[in-house]
Amino acid sequence: MKAKASDMHSKDCVKVAVRVRPFNKRERDAGSRCIVSMVSNSITIQDPRDSQNRRLFCFDYAYWSHSGFVRDRRGLFVPEEPGGRYADQDSVFQDLGEGILENALQGYNATLLAYGQTGSGKSYSMVGYGPNKGLVPKLCERLFEDIRENQETRQCQVFFSMLEIYNEQVVDLLSRVSRTPGGLRVREEQQRGFYVESLRTVPCESASQVAQLMEQGTRTRTTAATHMNANSSRSHMLIILQLKQIFSKESITKQSNINLVDLAGSERQRSSGSEADRLKEGTAINLSLTTLGNVISSLADAAVGRKVVHIPYRDSVLTKLLQSALGGNSRTVMIATLSPADICYEESLSTLRYAERAKRIQNRAVVNESPTERLVKELKAENARLLQRLSRLGQEGRRANDETSKTFK
Amino acid sequence: MASLSSDEWRAICDKFTNAQNLTDVESRNDPENDPFRSKYKARELLREIYCSLKSFEAGEGDEDGGAESSEQRTAEPPVDGQREDGFGEGFSGDSPAGLRAAKLGAVEYYLGVNHVDTEELSAGEEHLMNCMKQLARCRVTSENVSLFIHVRNQLGILWAGRDETETAQGFLETAESIYQRYMKEDGSPPTDMTEYFTSEEKLPTHQERTKRFELAYTHTMYYLAQVYKNLGETERAATYCHTTLQRQLQLNQFSPMEWALNAATLSQYYITKGRYMEGRHCLSAATVISGLAGEVPSEAVAQESETESDRREQLRQKRAEIARCWIKYCLNLLQDSKKLLEDNIGELDTDRQEELKRARRQEEEDEEKGRKSALLFGSEDTFDSIASLEEKVCCLFPLDFTEARGVFLVGQNYVKQAKEYFQMDGYVTDHIEILQDHSALFRGLAFFEEDLERRCKMHKRRVDMLEPICNDLNAQYYLLIRRQLMFELAEIYNEMMDLKLTLANRQADTQSLDNHTIKKFNSLCSASAKYFQMFLDSLCSPEGKVPEHLEEEVLRPALVARFRVARLHSRLISPLPSAQLDNLNKSLENYKYVAEYCESHPEAAAAVETELELSKEMVGLLPLKINRLKAKMATNN
């Protein structure tokens, strides 16, 4: 079942969807219990050790993909009965993918963020499996379809790049040359915004070509992770689809980026300064004095009111690269994926909390206007003058009327 | 220790060294699929040590009996924060029984930390509490005080991780008071816990002992800072961060750039609280300590080697960050002072100024007193340089142009420094923020400038630095920054327009303005309206449709922009009645928008109360004025 938040204004901040998957084999064998339930767009999670302890969360979308489905002849997982509560890949795409595509075609940036512990169904939602294609391939198919259909009115170019951010270092996942020590540089220019210097961008002409590149990048990511003795779940992965549309008749060019982000989700990892960490709930104590800076920053951060101060190193590489995506006319969607099983309670709860905080991520750029007191004072004086004049005029007018009426008596 | 042969003792010491090595060094290379391999090995060794200690030393006197009874005494695990542990009765730390308790306690401590590291929190807690029980039998002395502090630090971490912040607070605050009392009553360099299992020849020096002990207490301070932060007691948290920094400096346990940046960040906290003296102190210390990191390698040197190029980048960036913290100091000081001195229309209130100047003397005395009681940074060799840097800028509110100019110039100098690193090419957002601060510094200074001609020039400087950027930035990527710039430019032009008019009226002594002034006035007026309109247009949909609903963060700016556009149109001076009519209609249209928007969105009214009231009045009055003009035009035709 999918549910929409009814009265949401089209706010700039992130729209958040949560999806819960069926049990996997391991969970079934272990005789797992489902501890997640959904009603409309709210989701409840129950502590397996304390049935009284339930937490309720509300999101823009809540997708029940845990039960109530069958596999049809084409191999697609669909609801058991029409109108059933099972949310299939199509309905997820309709809610989340369509908007992103539409925005990109209008010439605005769009971002899809995915978050969830390893094995929570994140790849199924993003990439899919077999005929059950996920958000990214569907998005690409529709994008190239739209490009073909509108060939007469506009010319389009699509560029693909794929990178990984590990420990604040950027690694090109499509690069054929060996990696640069220290990672690639993130720069910023007036016309381009933030970008990764000398990142490989590959022109693409079809969805299948994109799929191929994605596979290539994913392979590089896995080998790189093994190489660094690191788990890939500790790094962010970012795919950038650049769309350039040239309308020759009107002689305008529209350029937009579609960012597809796989957020680092390992709950065990501690304070690498990544975006995911920043949103994590923190009552735990940082042990090392090397994190003193974070503690002080958060104090200063919390104290920022009307005063504007400078807090060094607030923005992570990911935040920078997504800067233009987190405000203004761009659209940002997050999908958080959950396991339904009791054994995953802690991880699932923390995913839900993360998703809740994500609703509030926003590019903070407030317009600070000066007080209007002087203006108000001037205007009040002017109004008074105007009123006075009008009332005088009114009297004169009446007098004139009186005189006129006298004359015509 | 009679029952333990020296060989057996040596074996225990070796096991301990091994366990330490496994925990601290080997464990870093453990594979992903067996991440705690070395820690488990270390645990085994610790267990063996524990058994050896227990079996060899058991029956050696009356401790076991004593242990029984003392355990009954402390049947309830000691919960800290209720009483001051360790200075009452019990074995002396240097008695055989006391040493035995400390050793057993230390092994329990290491086992506890080991279990916590492998995410077995309950087992870890049990071991740590066993350590507490051992210590509960002893008085605090130099032989065991380090363990007293360490175990409480660990329990603090453990409970904080479980979201039981108050429990954590209890342990850490007791550690704090044990340290303070020990330093007051004894203060000799205490035995480090590792010494319990170290053969004579490897014993640390006094200096080393002190260093380790003080470091443990620095951690207590740091953990308390976090606990207070999590409890929402930010002021206390800041004090503890401050103390942590101060101790790092005193004990020479810091890396200069990191320390400097932390101190600079802490200054920003103080600034938000209006505590400029502390803010200035942090910043001065930051600048001085960052100097200890050495010269920035030249570009030529950096090209030669990667380490040098890295170092160059790091030093330049961090020093630029510190400069930006200084800019905010100067800026906020100017702005706060302006708020104190301005009258109800934003002009300098000279009565208030006099009053504050009179109160100044008292403040200066207070400042002196404050400095004496404040937590000051510095080692012997940095103390003076920090103080002399502090003297370069005031920390009291500037009350006249000369004082304001002093603050402005310091700020402007840091603007220059910060821009050297944060150049437009490569750091657009940072660079623009620095320019916006520069503009705001001018704005603060202009408030104090009595000469209107010069004030106007200051505003012109602001236009010159912001206008080109606003027009050059990519509208899609920098929408929000551009909105800020548009609004600011609109306000500056408006300000300049008002100044020109005041100046002209002063000189002319009559109401009539000469043509040149009218032209100037109109061009400033139109420029202001243009930027307000640009701001409003930026809120429209891709098709150019005005939004039906204004987002919260732009609600007030958008309505105020409408209101001000309305006002500006009605002020344009034109001899032509048809143009006058045009302007008045545009004015009316915008006043109407404000009134109508608030009617259809009643929740918006609160954000623009006065503006709304006036807009409504104008919607009533302007049609009359328009009609009069129309009538006049009709008669004249």
Side-chain angles (χ1 to χ4, degrees), chain B residues 184-471:
Chain B
K184 209 167 96 195
E185 295 178 1
D186 185 331
S188 60
T191 310
D192 188 59
M193 289 134 58
T194 54
E195 289 180 48
Y196 300 143
F197 310 104
T198 309
S199 45
E200 299 272 333
E201 63 269 25
K202 288 181 196 154
L203 286 180
T205 59
H206 276 351
Q207 231 181 339
E208 186 61 30
R209 278 180 172 169
T210 304
K211 196 175 154 189
R212 289 190 200 166
F213 180 59
E214 295 293 349
L215 187 61
Y217 184 64
T218 305
H219 277 96
T220 309
M221 297 289 96
Y222 178 45
Y223 298 158
L224 274 172
Q226 299 180 62
V227 160
Y228 292 138
K229 190 198 98 188
N230 292 339
L231 289 170
E233 299 182 36
T234 41
E235 198 167 326
R236 257 174 123 180
T239 309
Y240 278 82
C241 284
H242 196 121
T243 308
T244 308
L245 285 169
Q246 190 193 31
R247 293 181 55 83
Q248 286 182 313
L249 205 56
Q250 257 168 16
L251 301 162
N252 202 18
Q253 289 164 334
F254 67 98
S255 94
M257 272 339 268
E258 194 188 308
W259 191 96
L261 208 61
N262 289 342
T265 311
L266 186 60
S267 76
Q268 304 297 291
Y269 167 80
Y270 284 126
I271 292 169
T272 59
K273 297 287 169 199
R275 289 163 64 180
Y276 287 101
M277 189 181 73
E278 287 89 343
R280 183 181 67 175
H281 185 62
C282 287
L283 284 166
S284 306
T287 301
V288 169
I289 301 300
S290 89
L292 299 180
E295 292 276 307
V296 175
S298 71
E299 217 165 332
V301 172
Q303 271 172 358
E304 296 287 303
S305 105
E306 201 169 300
T307 356
E308 287 303 295
S309 126
D310 244 26
R311 214 172 86 83
R312 178 179 155 86
E313 169 74 16
Q314 285 293 321
L315 286 179
R316 289 185 69 218
Q317 180 181 7
K318 290 184 176 162
R319 285 180 184 157
E321 293 277 9
I322 295 169
R324 289 178 72 179
C325 292
W326 269 114
I327 300 173
K328 297 292 187 185
Y329 170 87
C330 298
L331 186 55
N332 279 290
L333 191 60
L334 272 179
Q335 281 172 345
D336 277 1
S337 157
K338 175 173 171 235
K339 261 176 239 152
L340 272 183
L341 289 168
E342 70 191 355
D343 59 14
N344 59 6
I345 56 162
E347 287 292 334
L348 184 71
D349 181 337
T350 45
D351 292 344
R352 184 103 185 94
Q353 187 181 28
E354 282 312 311
E355 189 187 318
L356 287 170
K357 276 191 166 171
R358 280 195 298 275
R360 180 52 94 55
R361 188 171 302 222
Q362 184 60 40
E363 261 179 78
E364 275 163 358
E365 280 168 21
D366 289 349
E367 188 199 349
E368 225 15 72
K369 268 187 228 147
R371 272 187 64 84
K372 278 177 192 142
S373 65
L375 284 164
L376 294 184
F377 291 128
S379 49
E380 269 173 56
D381 36 331
T382 50
F383 203 84
D384 289 343
S385 358
I386 294 174
S388 77
L389 197 56
E390 282 177 295
E391 277 164 27
K392 292 215 164 76
V393 59
C394 67
C395 72
L396 297 177
F397 294 122
L399 296 179
D400 56 31
F401 181 74
T402 322
E403 290 177 355
R405 188 163 171 275
V407 177
F408 169 85
L409 286 176
V410 171
Q412 182 165 259
N413 191 37
Y414 284 115
V415 164
K416 207 175 123 225
Q417 274 185 38
K419 279 201 300 192
E420 267 167 39
Y421 179 80
F422 292 110
Q423 294 175 7
M424 182 63 105
D425 183 28
Y427 301 93
V428 180
T429 308
D430 293 300
H431 185 84
I432 295 175
E433 201 189 311
I434 295 166
L435 289 181
Q436 287 175 311
D437 284 348
H438 196 183
S439 160
L441 280 170
F442 267 115
R443 182 162 169 250
L445 182 64
F447 169 77
F448 290 93
E449 175 60 81
E450 283 164 40
D451 182 334
L452 298 191
E453 200 79 62
R454 273 166 48 191
R455 203 193 278 189
C456 209
K457 283 199 177 109
M458 289 179 189
H459 289 304
K460 182 71 173 57
R461 287 285 301 276
R462 301 172 63 199
V463 168
D464 290 344
M465 63 178 98
L466 300 180
E467 198 161 41
I469 299 165
C470 182
N471 297 328

Side-chain angles (χ1 to χ4, degrees), chain A residues 270-303:
Chain A
R270 283 183 186 166
S271 70
S272 67
S274 63
E275 189 65 10
D277 289 328
R278 266 194 18 203
L279 283 169
K280 253 183 232 159
E281 215 167 30
T283 55
I285 287 183
N286 286 306
L287 309 189
S288 160
L289 283 163
T290 52
T291 54
L292 176 60
N294 300 357
V295 177
I296 297 177
S297 302
S298 65
L299 279 182
D301 232 348

Side-chain angles (χ1 to χ4, degrees), chain A residues 170-172 174-184 198 220 227:
Chain A
V170 180
V171 175
D172 190 343
L174 297 181
S175 168
R176 295 199 191 91
V177 292
S178 63
R179 63 186 62 233
T180 9
L184 298 176
S198 58
T220 315
H227 192 70

